[in-house]
Amino acid sequence: MTKADLIESATNKSGLPRQSVENIINDVFNGITAALKSGDKVNISGFGTFSISQRKARTGRNPKTGESIQITASRAAKFKAGKGLKESLAWEAPDRNVSLPFGSILDRYLVRSFNRVFVPTLMAIGFVYFTVEFFDRIDNLMRAGASAGAATRYFLYKIPLLISRVFGFATLFSTLLTIGMLSRTYEITAMRASGLSLHRLAAPLLFVSMLIGMLSFMWNESLVPLFTRKSQYIYKVEVKNQTPKSLIGTQGIWIRGKEAFISVDYFDAKKNILQGVTIYLINSEFTLQGLIESPEARWDGSRWRTGESTGWTLLSDGRLSQQQATVRVLPISEKPEDFKILARKAEEFNFFELKRQIKDLTDKGIDTTEYAVDLQVKLAFPMIPSLMVLLAIPFALKQGTRAGVAISFGFTMLIGLAHLTLMAFCVSLGHSGAMQPWMAAWLPNFVLALVGIYYMTGEE
């Protein structure tokens, strides 16, 4: 603004004649100048203070020739802004609640940036996991005499299970690297300076992570159980050559024994216990002679020994006569290793199959604590990608322009392994009955959520 602009503005606001306003402004400037010449200060309350500074004579240097020159003493005018002027000129932070419709260009840009990292990251981490599994298992396969075809099919069938375990790692690394790269180019700074909150910036990544969680759940429900059963069959039957001819079925197990058929409701592979044992006694003509029921049978190292049992004898008139059973050893030759062929791990069930399995076993009075924990894990596991995004964003922003592949990978290993360790510890406590199934499955996610919310709130 020039002096003429100042006069014009004052004229418009005051309504006075232009010449009168010009005279007033000239008088003000002349008064300030006269006061300064006489060595006085001019203090305009709320606006500022005009004063004179004394400069002593000194020796200087000619910038063109480099020769020394003598600079005489002089006076210079100074101005110091007052409190009112400073406050009126203070920068106001932009509104942090700027409304931006979801699905905007910015959201699509963030999602594209994330996806460009996520897909190759998922493949890379999956390959690393597959390589570790390969070298961990290949010795056992070779010692067992597995053919190249059987070993190849075994590892191929293991791929869906391995991929299902790295969705969280891939999401964590992709978020760290995406936000880190945007911070290095100051794009995050520009977004936040424009008034966007951290929560709004995180919204598209959280949305994508929820989709990844849904994909993870469907992946675990469809491909993982099917391919895991096939890989287990190859390992147990084709590689280990364990094919017991007298075992029938995978739900309730039926065994063809000597002059008997034996029904087993459940086999505990960890404790080597057969639960819900019923022995159907037959003669050489396969006619039912009676039956014996025992709550369980334990493997003592050479035989299956039963506890207290109840027996019924089929009389000639068709009635059953109850009596105390004298059978203490089951008449079967199968060992625990044979039953383990039919024992199914939680990974071989989808959610609804495992839920039905728990109900069937519970109705038969069999403890289902381990399966109950595994059922809750199937629900908690798909939540991990979203929690990883919640935690990764503030960690990436704290690194600022230092963020890169190495730092992102380091944080991924640190956070991912810490969560896996806590998950394994809690699941172990749940399987042993020391912790409620829902708590064993959800406590690691709850801890991850609390840490993420704490750091997210602090960063905002």
Side-chain angles (χ1 to χ4, degrees), residues 44-247:
I44 303 175
S45 179
F47 182 74
T49 302
F50 295 92
S51 61
I52 291 292
S53 64
Q54 299 288 340
R55 294 181 178 177
K56 298 180 180 180
R58 64 192 187 279
T59 301
R61 188 174 297 278
N62 190 322
K64 291 184 178 180
T65 63
E67 296 179 354
S68 296
I69 57 175
Q70 195 65 29
I71 302 174
T72 59
S74 62
R75 295 192 301 173
K78 293 196 308 182
F79 174 75
K80 183 178 180 181
K83 182 179 179 181
L85 179 60
K86 289 180 179 179
E87 290 179 351
S88 66
L89 297 178
W91 177 77
E92 296 182 2
D95 184 8
R96 286 292 179 186
N97 296 314
V98 172
S99 177
L100 185 67
F102 191 75
S104 63
I105 294 177
L106 180 60
D107 292 330
R108 295 196 297 272
Y109 176 69
L110 289 172
V111 171
R112 283 198 304 271
S113 301
F114 176 86
N115 288 338
R116 280 197 297 267
V117 179
F118 177 76
V119 175
T121 298
L122 182 64
M123 297 174 63
I125 298 180
F127 177 76
V128 172
Y129 212 120
F130 176 83
T131 303
V132 172
E133 179 74 11
F134 176 82
F135 285 106
D136 183 54
R137 287 282 188 173
I138 191 63
D139 273 352
N140 292 336
L141 293 175
M142 293 299 101
R143 281 198 296 267
S147 65
T152 302
R153 285 185 289 113
Y154 171 77
F155 284 116
L156 288 177
Y157 284 134
K158 291 281 287 186
I159 289 177
L161 177 61
L162 298 178
I163 291 178
S164 72
R165 293 175 176 174
V166 300
F167 277 114
F169 275 93
T171 304
L172 175 61
F173 178 81
S174 301
T175 305
L176 286 169
L177 189 59
T178 300
I179 299 299
M181 292 298 99
L182 293 176
S183 295
R184 291 187 67 174
T185 56
Y186 299 101
E187 291 175 86
I188 293 294
T189 302
M191 295 175 193
R192 300 188 71 182
S194 67
L196 291 177
S197 68
L198 182 58
H199 301 92
R200 180 61 186 84
L201 289 175
L205 297 183
L206 285 171
F207 177 74
V208 172
S209 68
M210 291 178 186
L211 295 181
I212 294 173
M214 294 172 60
L215 173 63
S216 173
F217 181 79
M218 292 186 292
W219 185 275
N220 289 331
E221 287 298 286
S222 55
L223 295 179
V224 172
L226 175 62
F227 281 78
T228 302
R229 284 196 293 267
K230 290 182 178 295
S231 68
Q232 289 298 312
Y233 178 83
I234 292 172
Y235 183 74
K236 294 176 180 178
V237 177
E238 295 187 28
V239 176
K240 292 290 189 179
N241 294 318
Q242 297 173 334
T243 314
K245 299 283 191 298
S246 59
L247 293 185

Side-chain angles (χ1 to χ4, degrees), residues 251 355-366 368:
Q251 299 295 327
K355 191 174 182 179
R356 285 195 299 270
Q357 177 80 344
I358 292 173
K359 183 179 184 305
D360 292 342
L361 295 178
T362 302
D363 291 342
K364 295 173 182 177
I366 297 172
T368 59

Side-chain angles (χ1 to χ4, degrees), residues 168-413:
F169 275 93
T171 304
L172 175 61
F173 178 81
S174 301
T175 305
L176 286 169
L177 189 59
T178 300
I179 299 299
M181 292 298 99
L182 293 176
S183 295
R184 291 187 67 174
T185 56
Y186 299 101
E187 291 175 86
I188 293 294
T189 302
M191 295 175 193
R192 300 188 71 182
S194 67
L196 291 177
S197 68
L198 182 58
H199 301 92
R200 180 61 186 84
L201 289 175
L205 297 183
L206 285 171
F207 177 74
V208 172
S209 68
M210 291 178 186
L211 295 181
I212 294 173
M214 294 172 60
L215 173 63
S216 173
F217 181 79
M218 292 186 292
W219 185 275
N220 289 331
E221 287 298 286
S222 55
L223 295 179
V224 172
L226 175 62
F227 281 78
T228 302
R229 284 196 293 267
K230 290 182 178 295
S231 68
Q232 289 298 312
Y233 178 83
I234 292 172
Y235 183 74
K236 294 176 180 178
V237 177
E238 295 187 28
V239 176
K240 292 290 189 179
N241 294 318
Q242 297 173 334
T243 314
K245 299 283 191 298
S246 59
L247 293 185
I248 310 168
T250 57
Q251 299 295 327
I253 302 174
W254 285 86
I255 309 161
R256 173 69 169 91
K258 185 179 180 180
E259 296 184 346
F261 279 100
I262 302 171
S263 170
V264 178
D265 289 336
Y266 178 69
F267 170 60
D268 189 332
K270 292 185 177 180
K271 299 178 180 178
N272 289 335
I273 297 176
L274 300 176
Q275 295 181 306
V277 179
T278 304
I279 305 173
Y280 297 88
L281 303 173
I282 59 175
N283 57 22
S284 58
E285 298 177 351
F286 290 91
T287 302
L288 182 65
Q289 300 296 302
L291 58 89
I292 300 172
E293 291 184 335
S294 178
E296 66 178 34
R298 293 176 176 268
W299 180 253
D300 66 359
S302 59
R303 294 174 295 182
W304 293 99
R305 290 191 173 274
T306 65
E308 295 184 1
S309 304
T310 303
W312 283 270
T313 301
L314 184 63
L315 303 178
S316 57
D317 58 1
R319 291 183 297 108
L320 287 174
S321 174
Q322 182 177 350
Q323 58 189 5
Q324 190 69 26
T326 59
V327 176
R328 290 292 179 264
V329 178
L330 293 183
I332 58 176
S333 59
E334 277 70 22
K335 299 178 181 179
E337 289 73 18
D338 299 318
F339 286 97
K340 287 178 181 178
I341 298 175
L342 299 181
R344 295 172 64 182
K345 299 180 180 179
E347 294 87 354
E348 299 178 58
F349 295 94
N350 62 36
F351 177 82
F352 300 102
E353 288 174 341
L354 186 56
K355 191 174 182 179
R356 285 195 299 270
Q357 177 80 344
I358 292 173
K359 183 179 184 305
D360 292 342
L361 295 178
T362 302
D363 291 342
K364 295 173 182 177
I366 297 172
D367 180 36
T368 59
T369 300
E370 291 190 15
Y371 275 160
V373 174
D374 295 332
L375 184 70
Q376 291 295 323
V377 169
K378 285 183 177 291
L379 291 177
F381 202 76
M383 297 296 297
I384 294 177
S386 296
L387 298 176
M388 289 300 184
V389 168
L390 187 66
L391 187 60
I393 290 177
F395 269 82
L397 291 177
K398 285 184 180 296
Q399 301 307 310
T401 57
R402 296 175 298 165
V405 175
I407 292 179
S408 299
F409 182 77
F411 272 117
T412 299
M413 291 296 101

